Amino acid sequence: MGVARYKEALSLTEHSPWARRFWDALVPLKDRVVEHPLFVQMGQGNLSLERFQDALLHFYPLVENFPKYMGLALAKTRAGRLPGHEDTKNWLIGNIKIEQRHAYWYQDWAAGFGLDRRRLETTTPPPAMDAVNQFLWSIGHQGTLEESIAATNLAIEWATGEWSQRVVAGVKHYAEQGRADINRHTMAWLRAHASYDDAHPHEAMELVKRLAVDEPARRRAFTAARRGLEYYVLALDDCYQQAGKRSLVVPPVLADSN
């Protein structure tokens, strides 16, 4: 008779010197995301509704595709053959469903700010805001497992968990001003991230430690995490600067000739 096997929860370990340097070197870039004027003003309750809606609309593809990016990483796992792959497989399987639920909660948040599901699902983000999606697809298809985890679950989730703590306090101002409908449904996405169901970035760092067993792998993972955060900043800058200036220009070849 075979011995039953059960998935053990991922336990965090103390950072070795290289892992501490890895984490600390990302902090300034992560802080540029967390302290971006877009999120500062959201947290103060004085970001214009137009900018708020632009952010919710054009970041939706990142949220909706996030479980898919994790699925690309899952496909790379070779449990039992390579260090850290069994732990990573189990962690990804356990969390992909959670991320899908978060996409539905995000739809509720957007609805509270006047954006229906159809608008979310038919949006095409501007190039600078879509760059982060293109990067995560690319790293998911072509990168190593440690690169995928570092870019997606470490970089993106780390920054998101922290800025949502800032924003959750300010959203009530929009309701008080009659500019948004705030209730437990429209707050679910923010509260889930602000309360740090996002142990996720710390768990992702733990996986990177287990996967990246040599210097080249550690460098690849660090570069992927850094680039993910750089694209995040690029997206935020574009959203903050260009909201209200966008217009849909129909190319002549597509215009109705009648």
Side-chain angles (χ1 to χ4, degrees):
M1 177 182 287
V3 177
R5 298 181 65 195
Y6 300 94
K7 180 175 77 73
E8 296 180 359
L10 185 68
S11 58
L12 304 183
T13 62
E14 186 175 351
H15 289 335
S16 61
W18 77 262
R20 174 51 59 191
R21 291 193 299 271
F22 185 114
W23 182 272
D24 290 348
L26 291 171
V27 168
L29 195 51
K30 180 269 301 179
D31 286 345
R32 285 182 61 191
V33 174
V34 175
E35 297 166 8
H36 195 279
L38 187 84
F39 296 135
V40 171
Q41 291 181 24
M42 277 187 183
Q44 294 170 340
N46 57 23
L47 185 73
S48 72
L49 185 60
E50 188 174 47
R51 277 180 168 155
F52 209 128
Q53 289 176 323
D54 193 75
L56 285 169
L57 182 64
H58 291 128
F59 275 116
Y60 177 72
L62 174 61
V63 175
E64 199 278 330
N65 282 309
F66 210 79
K68 303 173 193 176
Y69 303 145
M70 293 170 69
L72 293 172
L74 178 61
K76 298 176 187 294
T77 58
R78 298 295 181 266
R81 299 184 187 181
L82 296 169
H85 280 235
E86 176 79 21
D87 296 330
T88 304
K89 180 195 74 172
N90 290 334
W91 188 85
L92 287 167
I93 289 172
N95 284 290
I96 285 173
K97 186 66 175 177
I98 293 172
E99 293 301 331
Q100 180 57 55
R101 186 161 64 245
H102 287 179
Y104 295 135
W105 291 350
Y106 190 96
Q107 291 174 4
D108 290 339
W109 183 22
F113 279 80
L115 298 171
D116 62 30
R117 181 173 171 180
R118 184 180 179 281
R119 281 195 71 189
L120 294 173
E121 293 181 340
T122 57
T123 190
T124 300
M129 294 186 72
D130 199 34
V132 65
N133 293 302
Q134 300 303 319
F135 171 67
L136 293 177
W137 271 118
S138 175
I139 211 78
H141 279 292
Q142 300 176 22
T144 62
L145 182 56
E146 63 268 16
E147 286 176 298
S148 295
I149 295 295
T152 304
N153 301 104
L154 174 55
I156 303 301
E157 289 202 87
W158 185 14
T160 300
E162 293 197 14
W163 68 249
S164 54
Q165 293 178 54
R166 177 193 297 276
V167 170
V168 72
V171 169
K172 64 180 181 181
H173 295 301
Y174 293 88
E176 292 167 355
Q177 298 161 10
R179 296 191 292 164
D181 178 16
I182 303 301
N183 55 50
R184 67 185 183 87
H185 297 292
T186 56
M187 289 295 291
W189 188 92
L190 274 175
R191 287 201 169 121
H193 290 77
S195 65
Y196 246 46
D197 101 336
D198 283 28
H200 281 188
H202 300 282
E203 292 169 351
M205 185 64 210
E206 183 64 32
L207 293 174
V208 169
K209 286 154 57 175
R210 300 183 190 194
L211 293 165
V213 295
D214 57 31
E215 184 63 23
R218 293 164 186 169
R219 289 185 180 277
R220 286 193 300 267
F222 178 81
T223 299
R226 181 181 62 195
R227 183 50 55 94
L229 288 166
E230 288 170 342
Y231 278 124
Y232 208 154
V233 172
L234 184 69
L236 291 167
D237 286 345
D238 182 80
C239 181
Y240 188 73
Q241 295 164 9
Q242 300 302 321
K245 301 178 183 178
R246 310 186 200 280
S247 62
L248 178 61
V249 178
V250 179
V253 69
L254 300 179
D256 190 348
S257 59
N258 295 325

